[in-house]
Amino acid sequence: MDNVHITQFNVQLYFSRPALDSELLATMFSNAQGFEAKPLTDDYGTHPMQGTMSFYREGFRIAPVQSNVLPFRILQVMSYPNTLKEPDRETLACLGFTASQLQKYLHIDIENDIYATRVVSHAIVDGKKQYVLSKLSSIENVPSIAGMYVAHKNPMGALQIVTKTGSDLLHKSWSDIRISQFKENSYVVTIFHESESLGLALDWIAQVKKFVATVILEMEQAAME
């Protein structure tokens, strides 16, 4: 897995009710805890979330998402690109701290009040074979994704892999994986992963680096067959 460099995680938590009280958030993520607070926007006119703050600490930005449709119901935890030494471990720690603060200050029931999560990860992967995406014609010989995903290439040769749903439209988790060739034997891998709970999101973050490494290795092997 040393060939996988995760550059950034962007996690969004979706709440079943308008739970993100601005004053309590400022208490949760205060200067005493090492956070720097900044206005989310300087002037957003009549937006319902006017005056909302974002909070910065140790390579992370935590802030409510300014949504007209779901005001005070989406919290974003995002790392800065290329700033964390161990992005998966540090992101899990930040989310664990955030969850404990939500429980303590906002009385959030993590299992019931968070009804969905979105995790976006970006990674650069160094492979061993050259121009694999141009040689790969199918994912049937890529065991980690065969049968569970459908795939296609866009006109520029990038590969998009999406969770296979069949006739069942409801899933506990779902992924959209996009792989582009970067130089001769390097790849840019972006994954949009959505799930129905914070627990499933944490499980995904903990294993995403291994998953990416395995998929790229299997793709390289399949392209040589």
Side-chain angles (χ1 to χ4, degrees):
M1 293 190 291
D2 291 340
N3 65 322
V4 179
H5 173 59
I6 298 178
T7 60
Q8 184 180 32
F9 278 110
N10 184 341
V11 184
Q12 291 187 350
L13 311 179
Y14 291 78
F15 297 86
S16 57
R17 56 186 173 85
L20 303 176
D21 181 276
S22 297
E23 293 185 6
L24 290 177
L25 286 175
T27 303
M28 290 166 54
F29 307 116
S30 64
N31 290 336
Q33 294 165 321
F35 285 93
E36 179 184 3
K38 295 181 181 180
L40 203 57
T41 57
D42 292 330
D43 183 9
Y44 226 125
T46 59
H47 195 283
M49 296 179 66
Q50 174 73 10
T52 303
M53 304 295 287
S54 54
F55 308 93
Y56 299 79
R57 189 181 78 170
E58 298 174 353
F60 286 95
R61 173 183 179 270
I62 302 174
V65 174
Q66 287 218 345
S67 170
N68 283 306
V69 179
L70 297 172
F72 301 103
R73 289 175 57 176
I74 309 172
L75 185 67
Q76 181 183 63
V77 178
M78 181 176 65
S79 64
Y80 300 133
N82 298 307
T83 58
L84 305 180
K85 293 181 179 180
E86 299 181 65
D88 41 4
R89 183 187 64 80
E90 293 175 73
T91 298
L92 288 172
C94 184
L95 288 170
F97 171 80
T98 300
S100 67
Q101 296 296 89
L102 289 170
Q103 290 173 308
K104 180 178 179 180
Y105 289 94
L106 298 182
H107 307 294
I108 294 294
D109 183 329
I110 298 300
E111 291 187 4
N112 296 315
D113 290 337
I114 297 175
Y115 71 91
T117 62
R118 172 178 289 177
V119 178
V120 183
S121 61
H122 303 280
I124 295 175
V125 186
D126 295 320
K128 295 181 180 180
K129 307 295 183 181
Q130 294 185 348
Y131 299 112
V132 166
L133 290 188
S134 63
K135 299 174 183 177
L136 193 69
S137 59
S138 170
I139 64 169
E140 292 181 3
N141 294 327
V142 184
S144 294
I145 55 178
M148 296 174 287
Y149 294 82
V150 294
H152 70 267
K153 289 183 181 178
N154 67 25
M156 294 176 286
L159 186 65
Q160 186 164 348
I161 308 165
V162 182
T163 300
K164 190 175 183 178
T165 60
S167 59
D168 184 4
L169 297 181
L170 183 63
H171 288 258
K172 290 185 177 181
S173 60
W174 175 91
S175 294
D176 179 351
I177 306 166
R178 304 176 187 186
I179 305 176
S180 301
Q181 195 88 41
F182 178 63
K183 298 182 180 179
E184 294 181 353
N185 60 340
S186 297
Y187 314 87
V188 176
V189 181
T190 298
I191 303 179
F192 301 83
H193 182 81
E194 297 180 355
S195 57
E196 66 175 11
S197 70
L198 177 59
L200 289 175
L202 297 178
D203 290 343
W204 171 255
I205 293 169
Q207 59 90 47
V208 67
K209 188 174 183 179
K210 181 179 179 181
F211 174 77
V212 170
T214 302
V215 168
I216 295 299
L217 177 61
E218 292 176 352
M219 283 175 48
E220 291 188 327
Q221 292 172 341
M224 297 302 106
E225 294 177 356

